[in-house]
Amino acid sequence: MQCSPGSQSVLDAGGFERLLALLRSDGFVLVGPIARDGAIQLSAITGIEDLPRGVGDEQSPGRYRLRPREDDALFGWAVPSQPWKKQFLPSRLDLVHIRRKGSALEVEPAAAEANPIAIIGARPCEVAAMRVQDGVLRDGPHPDSDYAARREAAFVLAVNCGTPSGTCFCVSMDTGPRAKAGFDLAATELMEPNHRFLIEVGSDAGARVLERVAATPATDGDIAAAADLVAGAAQKMGRALDNKGLTERLLGNLEHPRWDDVAERCVGCGNCTLACPTCFCTNVEDSSNLGGDVATRTRTWDSCFALDFAYIHGGSVRPTLRARYRQWLTHKLATWVEQFGTSGCVGCGRCITWCPVGIDLTVEAGAVGEARG
Amino acid sequence: MPMRIGRAGHDIDGVFTWALEPSAPFAFEPGQFNMLYAHGVGEVPISISGDPNDFSSLHHTIRVVGNVTEALAALEAGDEVGVRGPFGSTWPLAEASGQDVLFVAGGLGLAPLRPAILSVLTRRSEFGQVTIIYGARSPTDILFRAELERWRGRFDVTLEAIVDHSGTDWYGPVGVVTRLVAEAEIEPEYCVAMLCGPEIMMRFTARELEQRGLEPSQIWVSLERSMKCGVGLCGHCQLGGTFVCKDGPVYRYDRVASKLLLRGL
């Protein structure tokens, strides 16, 4: 059938498998969710047999469990334990090799990886997070060329959300549960009366792939079922964040006692920044070979919770956990807006789930600025 | 981009200045910085301390404070060093045109101000009164002393220096730099002040200048933060909603004052 951005069609499970196979044959490395070690993780996959069939998840502050589902849904969980950002902003990346020859230095760019990836099953909040990172790493005056190249080459198959978890609040952040933009194809997985996917086309690239899969046109019933599923998900948000006046409230209360309170609970581990799909801070490490003539500069993920993150001669600019937590939360929810015109939070809830002491961003953001009771 | 060290000279204890030799003309604006790379050790942001009208020689004045600056200090004339830049915002020389200019430098803060001072002196007739106030810890810590004495000898520049403590070798005033700011001859409505030094020194100097009648929007400061990339991608240098590497290092004081007055921001 003819496909174009905005058109909707239906694939059964076999059709979905054909879609993945086609992406593979087009040269994409498929990266998707798998169930491993008791968690939904992201991994290279070969087809739908790798996807987490019949698995759901339970998430609450500091808690994550998989549970069996009563059906064979492949996307019957909320968000994976890991964010997708690693696909575009690798946790370790060699930037350059610098060779010393006598007193001279020769700079050789580190080889870039070749294979484009196809994102299989990113949630709408995660697709929104990619666009937030685009704003930081690609769309400014000094784009990160490695990020831009990986992003440009990638194919994004989003899967709309029918099963939010107890830490989800995408509705508050207006990023889900239905993907509105930023994808090549967006699927909604329907289980009744038969297992099928409503597929929405988001780009020409998506249309070209879908045309080759022999999808059937969506019926009104399919479209209504998908709309019901997403509407139901919107009603099942585990959390809410009150965005109204949030920037002003946070930045107007930088000395609020709640910062001391949260600093007593925060252990400064940085899990939230690793689990966050938008946190982009990086460090650069230097190493050299044993002879000392070839040095390598390696970019690694960093966290504003690390004591040496803001170190300058004489000490850290943010020596206390209070200052570091405040930096993270105010950046995510307030100064990000100043810098990039969007919130740095997409409401995926990972920072809440994966905080070892269960600190809840929505609760902390709500409490800062409140009169002491 | 590798660049050859043409000259390496000792300034004061723990501080040295390089004249680098760019392979192509290197243009920068006063106040900007480069990322300097020591092979296998790391990269640090260092202000440019030379004359912006000299495209063939790039000056950096560096204090040894950590691993990277220690490795840089071990290099000699003829060695190559990695240079990325120039990055960052600039001293407001266009805004200052036609106005009196007040430079207040503390310690090594004279280095980032030097390109601005040299520009103003090159185009001396475009400006009104030019005053330079310099504070150092002790007489032996006075940076660019010979040059300061030359500037002090000019009839069209007022230069005052003060030290925190001294021995018998110092005939000038002793105390903090704000004392000289309090005594400086300035006409508040026609003055642009450019401050560089430790943050606490700039805060107190700005406070003194405000008491003298300057608006915070007439005061400019240069800040220092941890930086890895220099272009707003690594996140390290954030100060509130700004990135010191690209929105700074030079800021109009009214845009950062509230941030500097808060601990740990």
Side-chain angles (χ1 to χ4, degrees), chain A residues 347-364:
Chain A
C348 75
R350 283 190 183 86
C351 60
I352 306 170
T353 299
W354 294 99
C355 175
V357 294
I359 293 172
D360 184 338
L361 168 139
T362 62
V363 172
E364 299 310 320

Side-chain angles (χ1 to χ4, degrees), chain B residues 8-245:
Chain B
H10 172 88
D11 296 308
I12 53 176
D13 195 26
V15 179
F16 60 97
T17 294
W18 283 342
L20 301 174
E21 295 172 343
S23 50
F26 190 94
F28 71 96
E29 296 290 329
Q32 291 192 296
F33 67 93
N34 283 318
M35 297 297 293
L36 300 185
Y37 167 75
H39 188 253
V41 183
E43 203 181 39
V44 284
I46 303 283
S47 289
I48 303 170
S49 62
D51 186 344
N53 293 311
D54 179 357
F55 300 107
S56 61
S57 177
L58 175 64
H59 290 236
H60 281 287
T61 300
I62 303 164
R63 169 171 278 159
V64 178
V65 290
N67 292 340
V68 179
T69 47
E70 203 166 291
L72 294 175
L75 298 176
E76 297 169 355
D79 287 339
E80 281 192 344
V81 62
V83 180
R84 291 193 300 128
F87 299 124
S89 61
T90 65
W91 293 112
L93 295 183
E95 287 91 332
S97 181
Q99 310 268 313
D100 292 349
V101 186
L102 172 65
F103 296 102
V104 185
L108 210 61
L110 183 58
L113 275 175
R114 185 169 175 266
I117 296 172
L118 292 173
S119 281
V120 165
L121 295 182
T122 302
R123 297 150 44 193
R124 181 65 191 85
S125 60
E126 292 175 35
F127 301 90
Q129 291 276 356
V130 174
T131 306
I132 302 167
I133 294 176
Y134 181 61
R137 259 182 250 164
S138 73
T140 52
D141 290 317
I142 292 177
L143 189 67
F144 308 145
R145 183 160 184 163
E147 188 167 44
L148 287 174
E149 286 174 359
R150 271 205 310 283
W151 290 341
R152 192 185 172 122
R154 291 175 64 136
F155 292 115
D156 58 357
V157 173
T158 303
L159 189 147
E160 300 289 347
I162 190 166
V163 298
D164 290 347
H165 49 83
S166 76
T168 54
D169 54 343
W170 177 253
Y171 301 97
V174 175
V176 290
V177 80
T178 44
R179 215 189 94 192
L180 296 184
V181 174
E183 295 163 1
E185 278 183 39
I186 49 177
E187 288 188 68
E189 56 269 47
Y190 305 112
C191 183
V192 173
M194 304 181 207
L195 281 41
C196 191
E199 244 174 68
I200 186 167
M201 164 257 165
M202 293 191 285
R203 284 207 312 269
F204 278 93
T205 300
R207 195 168 79 177
E208 187 64 47
L209 288 171
E210 287 180 59
Q211 280 168 10
R212 298 288 312 272
L214 266 75
E215 295 293 328
S217 59
Q218 293 172 273
I219 303 169
W220 299 70
V221 295
S222 179
L223 302 182
E224 194 174 10
R225 285 294 182 274
S226 173
M227 293 176 191
K228 299 294 174 186
C229 71
V231 291
L233 298 177
C234 78
H236 280 255
C237 68
Q238 289 176 78
L239 173 66
T242 77
F243 291 90
V244 175
C245 68

